[in-house]
Amino acid sequence: MLSQPHRALSRRGFLVASAASGAALGLAAGPARAGTRPRPFGRYGSPADRRDPRTLYVHPGGAGDFTTVRDAVAAATGTGYTLVIAPGVYRQTVAVDPARTEMTWIGASEEPRDVVIVYDNAAGTPKPGGGTHGTTGSATTTVQADGFTARWITFANDWLRADHPDITGTQAVALKVQGDRSAFHHCRFLGHQDTLYADSMALGTFARQYFAHCYAEGDVDFVFGRATAVFDHCHFRTLNRTDLPAAPYGFVFAPSTAGANPLGYLVTRSRVSSEAPDAYFKLARPWVPSSDTTARPMLTVRDTWLGPGIDAVAPYTNMASGYPWQSMRFTEYRNTGPGAVMSVPENRPQLTRAQAASHTRQTYLGDWRPCA
């Protein structure tokens, strides 16, 4: 069953207020029962009652092994570590390198609003040693290791265009994930441009990723990259904009699937809602990066509700005139909602029933079965 709509929480003012006052994100614990001790790690043990030697506990107030997620990751050398993260707003950048395989992050309260990892770099943000971060360097969290799993975590980038009118590189990534067998359950991805970067480590590497019951919001290309990624029962929300005089305000998906990869993005049993005026957003545009001019972006959206914010007449557009979306692999199947109305059929390529049989989670993920 699809989750209920989420209030948009990516605005910097909200997250800053949350950091100062945990109650704004529901971080404050309810009244403790008389005679009981608080359990900041919920049902996942504690440093005094550790599940196993490879379980590490993170608590901003010092009740865990570490006070930051970054320090816990640094200590988790090797494979198979679990980080249990107590409620809090963790303002930091975090990177999981390829050597830290089979790592799991768990939001201890099992409510993704409670555990927020956030920072505010953009592509055009100057670096201390000179130059700028670029899109990849803007990521709040970067995951390169295979076998990564996250549950009940919010990944956010609260950089705002309005605060930095002098910066033209406005890409600001909340999460860049590149590893194979990367799974995210009940997570949130908050940002504006380039929020969720579902990618791979190299052009010839076909990384499989699975997002289940997740929420992502943004405006320009806010789900993008070349991974083979399945979005199952997810909610995508397009944000309003006051800096543009007319439509389009942005694009939900911008896949950059390698031409040799038979499988790109699959969106299934999901929903797309909007804060913007009706028809002000495109569903997708193909990204053919300069580093891979042979890319042939692939996106299949099926059994998904598309709200009125999507331009039903022309849901797809070009990112560059030399790579028209019609030459890419954009298809739909059995979508519903006002944004899915087939008013101009040639603008909405549809799968046949026989073709749709091969566009499933099982086909895209192969022999990998991420647990629910």
Side-chain angles (χ1 to χ4, degrees), residues 114-140:
D114 290 351
V115 177
V116 180
I117 304 172
V118 58
Y119 208 70
D120 61 349
N121 283 330
T125 301
K127 295 194 296 186
T132 57
H133 285 283
T135 301
T136 290
S138 74
T140 297

Side-chain angles (χ1 to χ4, degrees), residues 302 332-334 350-360 363:
R302 61 170 299 171
E332 298 180 56
Y333 183 67
R334 292 194 316 197
Q350 301 289 309
L351 296 172
T352 66
R353 182 177 181 181
Q355 290 170 333
S358 63
H359 290 268
T360 65
T363 300

